Amino acid sequence: MRIILCTDELCLARMLSVVLEGCDLRTCRTTERVIALAAACSEDVFIDGALKLNDGFWEMLESSPRHRLHYVLVRSALTERDWQRARGLGLSGFLTDPLSAIRTFIGGDAQTFLRRFSVPDGLPSLPPVSVNLGLGVHYKQNERCLLIEHRLVPLSEMEAKLLDLLISREDEVVSRDEIAQALWQGHVNPKGIAKLVSRLRCKLGPAGALVQGLRQGGYVYRRTSAR
């Protein structure tokens, strides 16, 4: 799979090169976007570093040939109009606050990374930065809190980091060592991890059951457990 990254940010390009190590990653500047889009084939993944959307960006996209897999990295808030235009153009998804999200995936893979992008089928009833965790629980990442039956439940920094890690690896086992490395740079005992998981489960309410501990060690978040 060839991945084309269009960005002027060296930091973003370097971080993605680590996340997508092993992939055929190509880069181009935003001034070369139209040419790169035209040259992309149907099997390519085009990741657009348009960190702020404006009318000029949408007009360019509407008039340019695109392949079927086009993801957009943004930092600015997404409006309802952005979502409508994205669906109309068939974009594969947005990723808000890309640098924070990418840090979660250091050493990951392309499919895990791309899973974080989303464009909903209908207009979002919640801000686009919210994640449906299942069982009626939504996670508002930019506000670091949960929305459960119209009630906001704040998360601590460590609880939010753990939740980010688990949902980024949905349906995959995250070992205790991986949690320790991601949250404490490896310096924590298993009891500390267990206590943090317990606090997170408690705050997740009904969705706490979707974070499962495994006998062989580690944890897995399965949204499908709600079915």
Side-chain angles (χ1 to χ4, degrees):
M1 175 171 56
R2 188 172 72 162
I3 298 178
I4 303 169
L5 171 65
C6 178
T7 182
D8 295 325
E9 293 208 357
L10 183 59
C11 178
L12 184 65
R14 285 177 174 171
M15 294 185 77
L16 267 177
S17 69
V18 175
V19 173
L20 305 177
E21 184 179 7
C23 297
D24 184 1
L25 180 65
R26 313 290 179 89
T27 60
C28 67
R29 294 193 173 277
T30 54
T31 54
E32 303 168 314
R33 179 187 282 117
V34 174
I35 296 174
L37 278 171
C41 70
S42 61
E43 299 303 316
D44 292 336
V45 171
F46 194 91
I47 299 178
D48 205 325
L51 296 177
K52 187 172 183 180
L53 304 183
N54 53 37
D55 287 338
F57 170 79
W58 288 114
E59 290 168 4
M60 176 281 303
L61 207 55
E62 288 168 353
S63 62
S64 299
R66 307 179 312 285
H67 69 26
R68 57 187 175 82
L69 292 177
H70 189 130
Y71 303 90
V72 183
L73 301 166
V74 294
R75 282 187 183 154
S76 55
L78 293 172
T79 65
E80 181 177 300
R81 187 164 174 249
D82 290 330
W83 289 93
Q84 289 175 323
R85 281 181 148 179
R87 292 204 323 279
L89 290 171
L91 294 191
S92 301
F94 287 119
L95 178 63
T96 59
D97 195 8
L99 292 181
S100 296
I102 288 170
R103 290 189 187 101
T104 308
F105 295 105
I106 297 298
D109 57 70
Q111 295 303 324
T112 300
F113 173 68
L114 295 176
R115 218 180 288 158
R116 289 296 294 272
F117 290 84
S118 64
V119 172
D121 293 332
L123 291 179
S125 57
L126 296 167
V129 288
S130 68
V131 178
N132 183 0
L133 299 178
L135 298 176
V137 179
H138 290 78
Y139 173 35
K140 303 180 76 171
Q141 291 175 296
N142 65 331
E143 298 178 37
R144 211 168 70 192
C145 67
L146 303 168
L147 182 62
I148 305 175
E149 297 181 350
H150 306 291
R151 177 174 57 91
L152 291 177
V153 179
L155 298 176
S156 70
E157 181 179 356
M158 296 302 284
E159 290 164 352
K161 286 182 177 181
L162 175 59
L163 183 55
D164 285 337
L165 177 61
L166 291 172
I167 63 178
S168 72
R169 301 271 300 275
E170 184 177 346
D171 294 324
E172 298 177 18
V173 176
V174 182
S175 69
R176 292 191 182 95
D177 287 343
E178 289 175 305
I179 294 173
Q181 191 61 44
L183 275 64
W184 290 281
Q185 288 75 52
H187 304 295
V188 66
N189 62 50
K191 288 184 178 179
I193 295 175
K195 287 180 180 178
L196 179 61
V197 172
S198 178
R199 292 199 304 270
L200 178 60
R201 279 175 172 159
C202 183
K203 289 190 175 182
L204 283 169
L210 305 182
V211 178
Q212 304 168 357
L214 305 177
R215 287 184 179 179
Q216 64 268 36
Y219 300 88
V220 60
Y221 162 65
R222 291 193 176 101
R223 194 179 338 216
T224 52
S225 300
R227 298 172 186 170

